[in-house]
């Protein structure tokens, strides 16, 4: 009896598992490509020296805050376009694409200016002189690389709203491979190129990201099925009302992602207070954790698309099942990642460095990273599901409280004031992520329970 009940439940959810995975897998592979680029930066630069590895960690810690804010703003177009397109409003979806491109460029102008200004404050953030001197030029070229990248994101989020996630995957993987090759060329000065060290990693990213929107433009021009979307790309399609609607969804998403990354970046700066070896070990563990997190954001993005399509056709029961199916997939994925990290905690850091002190710290921190895989995965997917129904403000408020009022104070208290050291910082991650995951799952359950009645 119980066996049949579970079998029937599985059959009921199977179409939603399939749809979420079909949408999510290309995004997951794209995110994997991005994570591999970050890993290649760390792996290659780590072979130069401890200060260089710490410089990449420091630069990325500041850069990622602005990057995710811009990226989050671009995410606002996906649920709106997805709901419009699934409801048969194809022309309106194309007009939203035009408006989203303008919003994304304006977002870069505003946030990018602040990011560049932040580079002048980096010498005063408590890092070793050798670290911030290497980090500043690397960081600045990464900020410049966002100019072409936001154009690529506008294309990416539009097509994902239509349910097409494969084009972005292919372009991302091609350019990620190019980035890795160029990393080798410019970091170490191969094939006649100058040896640029840390700056070479950032310069490689700039070139690869410049290629990304160019490929998308060529693809759209070559395929008539895509080029027709530009027919509605006219001045009269640009409306302040539509831009405000996109901003009303995108800004809270960007704000939520900004707060989360701000907490992690502040933690990285805090890790630097314990020395270059601690920061380097923190960067290795964070890179491994980012690899698994970027993959789970693929499931979250697929969930947003799947839920938004159900919303577009006003299938309230389908909305709930699509989100629940994604959460179930997320649990399975996160448990797998946790086991891999725990089992490989001694081996994985050796891929980055031979420094004994750094290896010891990184191995220990990977065990903490393994513990928070499940809450990290669940909070990401539940927030992705809520985005699908355009519920974006409350997640931003919850994340602001849990990360700024719980996570960071707890990390500082335990790591610095109580003298536990860098492991205290990671204890704060576990507490903060666990709180966000719990609240977001409860909110998803309550919102969809009311809507499905």
């Amino acid at each position: 009896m119980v066996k049949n009940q579970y079998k029937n439940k599985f059959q009921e959810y199977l179409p939603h598992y399939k749809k979420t995975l079909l949408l999510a897998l290309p995004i997951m592979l794209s995110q994997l490509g991005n994570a591999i680029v970050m890993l290649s930066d760390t792996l290659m630069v780590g072979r130069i020296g401890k200060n260089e590895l710490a410089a990449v960690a420091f630069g990325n810690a500041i850069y990622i805050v602005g990057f995710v804010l811009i990226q989050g703003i671009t995410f606002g177009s996906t649920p709106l376009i997805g709901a419009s397109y699934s409801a048969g409003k194809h022309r309106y979806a194309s007009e939203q694409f035009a408006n989203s491109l303008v919003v994304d460029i304006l977002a870069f102008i505003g946030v990018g200016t602040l990011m560049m200004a932040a580079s002048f404050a980096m010498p005063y953030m408590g890092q070793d002189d050798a670290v911030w001197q290497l980090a500043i030029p690397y960081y600045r070229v990464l900020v410049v690389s966002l100019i072409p990248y936001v154009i690529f994101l506008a294309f990416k989020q539009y097509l994902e709203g239509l349910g097409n996630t494969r084009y972005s995957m292919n372009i991302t993987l091609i350019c990620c491979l190019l980035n890795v090759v160029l990393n080798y060329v410019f970091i170490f000065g191969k094939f006649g190129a100058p040896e640029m060290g840390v700056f070479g990693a950032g310069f490689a990213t700039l070139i690869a990201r410049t290629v990304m929107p160019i490929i998308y433009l060529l693809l759209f021009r070559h395929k008539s099925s895509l080029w027709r979307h530009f027919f509605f790309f006219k001045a009269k399609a640009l409306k302040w009302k539509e831009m405000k609607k996109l901003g009303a969804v995108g800004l809270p998403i960007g704000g939520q992602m900004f707060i989360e990354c701000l907490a992690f970046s502040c933690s990285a700066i805090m890790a630097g207070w314990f020395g270059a070896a601690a920061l380097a070990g923190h960067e290795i563990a964070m890179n491994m954790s980012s690899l698994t997190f970027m993959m789970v954001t693929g499931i979250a993005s697929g969930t947003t698309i799947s839920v938004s399509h159900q919303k577009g056709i006003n299938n309230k029961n389908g909305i709930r099942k699509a989100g629940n199916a994604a959460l179930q997939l997320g649990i399975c994925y996160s448990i797998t990642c946790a086991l891999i990290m725990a089992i490989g905690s001694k081996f994985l850091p050796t891929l980055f460095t031979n420094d004994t002190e750094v290896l010891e710290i990184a191995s220990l921190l990977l065990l903490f990273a393994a513990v928070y895989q499940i809450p990290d995965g669940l909070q990401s997917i539940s927030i992705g599901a809520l985005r699908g129904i355009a519920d974006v403000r409350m997640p931003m408020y919850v994340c602001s409280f849990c990360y700024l009022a719980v996570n960071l104070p707890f990390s500082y208290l335990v790591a610095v004031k109580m003298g536990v050291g860098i492991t205290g910082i990671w204890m704060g991650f576990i507490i903060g992520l666990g709180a966000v995951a719990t609240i977001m799952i409860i909110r998803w359950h309550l919102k969809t329970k009311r809507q499905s009645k």
Side-chain angles (χ1 to χ4, degrees):
M1 182 71 177
V2 175
K3 185 177 180 180
N4 288 334
Q5 188 178 7
Y6 278 113
K7 184 177 179 181
N8 292 335
K9 204 74 174 175
F10 177 78
Q11 291 296 329
E12 186 181 342
Y13 275 91
L14 186 59
H16 295 284
Y17 293 142
K18 288 181 177 178
K19 182 171 182 179
T20 300
L21 286 174
L22 283 172
L23 291 167
L25 280 173
I27 304 175
M28 291 173 72
L29 290 173
S30 298
Q31 295 288 57
L32 177 62
N34 288 324
I36 287 173
V37 170
M38 293 175 63
L39 279 171
S40 73
D41 284 1
T42 307
L43 284 166
M44 294 184 193
V45 170
R47 295 299 169 185
I48 303 175
K50 180 166 60 180
N51 285 332
E52 285 78 4
L53 180 57
V56 169
F58 180 48
N60 281 333
I62 308 301
Y63 164 77
I64 197 69
V65 176
F67 170 77
V68 299
L69 177 56
I70 294 173
Q71 189 178 47
I73 292 171
T74 71
F75 283 2
S77 63
T78 304
L80 296 178
I81 290 170
S84 299
Y85 190 79
S86 64
K89 301 175 182 177
H90 297 176
R91 175 170 181 160
Y92 181 51
S94 295
E95 291 177 352
Q96 286 176 310
F97 175 31
N99 284 282
S100 70
L101 182 58
V102 175
V103 170
D104 295 349
I105 292 172
L106 291 174
F108 168 75
I109 293 172
V111 179
T113 301
L114 293 174
M115 291 176 72
M116 196 60 77
S119 66
F120 294 97
M122 291 171 74
Y124 309 102
M125 294 184 183
Q127 309 301 307
D128 294 345
D129 288 348
V131 172
W132 66 257
Q133 287 170 2
L134 288 167
I136 287 176
Y138 167 74
Y139 169 83
R140 286 175 176 167
V141 76
L142 285 181
V143 175
V144 174
S145 76
L146 286 174
I147 298 172
Y149 193 62
V150 293
I151 300 173
F152 165 77
L153 285 175
F155 281 94
K156 173 181 176 289
Q157 299 310 131
Y158 174 63
L159 285 183
E160 287 184 0
L162 305 187
N164 186 325
T165 56
R166 294 188 178 276
Y167 287 137
S168 297
M169 175 194 71
N170 292 332
I171 293 171
T172 301
L173 292 179
I174 290 168
C175 291
C176 284
L177 178 61
L178 173 64
N179 199 335
V180 171
V181 172
L182 292 176
N183 269 349
Y184 177 72
V185 171
F186 292 120
I187 290 173
F188 301 113
K190 302 296 181 180
F191 306 111
E195 185 178 341
M196 299 182 183
V198 173
F199 179 78
F203 187 64
T205 300
L206 172 61
I207 296 174
R209 285 183 172 172
T210 301
V211 173
M212 296 174 85
I214 293 173
I215 296 177
Y216 244 139
L217 285 169
L218 292 173
L219 178 65
F220 266 63
R221 188 67 188 91
H222 177 69
K223 287 186 171 290
S224 58
S225 60
L226 294 177
W227 189 247
R228 64 185 176 87
H229 295 290
F230 277 112
F231 292 166
F232 308 112
F233 233 76
K234 299 173 183 176
K236 66 179 183 180
L238 301 177
K239 300 172 183 176
W240 180 242
K241 179 182 177 182
E242 295 302 324
M243 292 183 196
K244 284 180 66 178
K245 187 184 295 185
L246 288 161
V249 178
L251 281 171
I253 294 175
Q256 173 258 311
M257 295 174 67
F258 168 80
I259 292 298
E260 183 174 354
C261 277
L262 178 63
F264 277 79
S265 294
C266 288
S267 298
I269 293 170
M270 208 184 301
W273 298 347
F274 297 100
L279 181 55
H282 175 87
E283 174 68 358
I284 291 171
M286 191 56 67
N287 263 266
M288 295 305 305
S289 181
S290 295
L291 177 63
T292 60
F293 176 73
M294 292 183 85
M295 292 284 281
V296 86
T297 58
I299 301 176
S301 296
T303 306
T304 299
I305 300 166
S306 180
V307 170
S308 71
H309 286 183
Q310 296 295 327
K311 184 184 178 185
I313 59 175
N314 200 31
N315 183 354
K316 295 179 180 179
N317 192 42
I319 289 173
R320 185 174 175 84
K321 287 181 179 177
N324 289 347
L327 286 168
Q328 292 160 17
L329 291 172
I331 291 173
C332 296
Y333 170 80
S334 298
I335 290 173
T336 303
C337 292
L339 290 173
I340 291 171
M341 281 190 180
I343 294 170
S345 61
K346 294 291 185 183
F347 166 73
L348 292 172
T350 63
L351 300 174
F352 296 85
T353 183
N354 296 320
D355 188 289
T356 305
E357 185 180 5
V358 175
L359 285 173
E360 184 178 348
I361 294 169
S363 297
L364 177 60
L365 296 183
L366 272 178
L367 295 176
F368 285 87
V371 173
Y372 79 55
Q373 288 304 299
I374 295 174
D376 197 22
L378 290 177
Q379 65 90 17
S380 179
I381 294 170
S382 57
I383 289 173
L386 288 167
R387 284 177 195 161
I389 56 174
D391 181 16
V392 292
R393 288 189 178 275
M394 186 55 69
M396 179 182 68
Y397 298 144
V398 170
C399 287
S400 297
F401 176 79
C402 290
Y403 292 127
L404 300 183
V406 178
N407 186 346
L408 283 177
F410 184 91
S411 293
Y412 180 76
L413 176 66
V414 176
V416 180
K417 291 299 183 180
M418 295 177 62
V420 172
I422 194 168
T423 54
I425 296 174
W426 286 67
M427 292 176 191
F429 292 161
I430 296 171
I431 299 296
L433 289 167
V436 175
T438 301
I439 297 170
M440 288 297 95
I441 290 173
I442 292 172
R443 181 165 179 82
W444 166 255
H445 175 72
L446 293 176
K447 290 279 289 186
T448 55
K449 185 178 182 180
R450 285 197 299 264
Q451 290 183 0
S452 62
K453 287 182 178 179

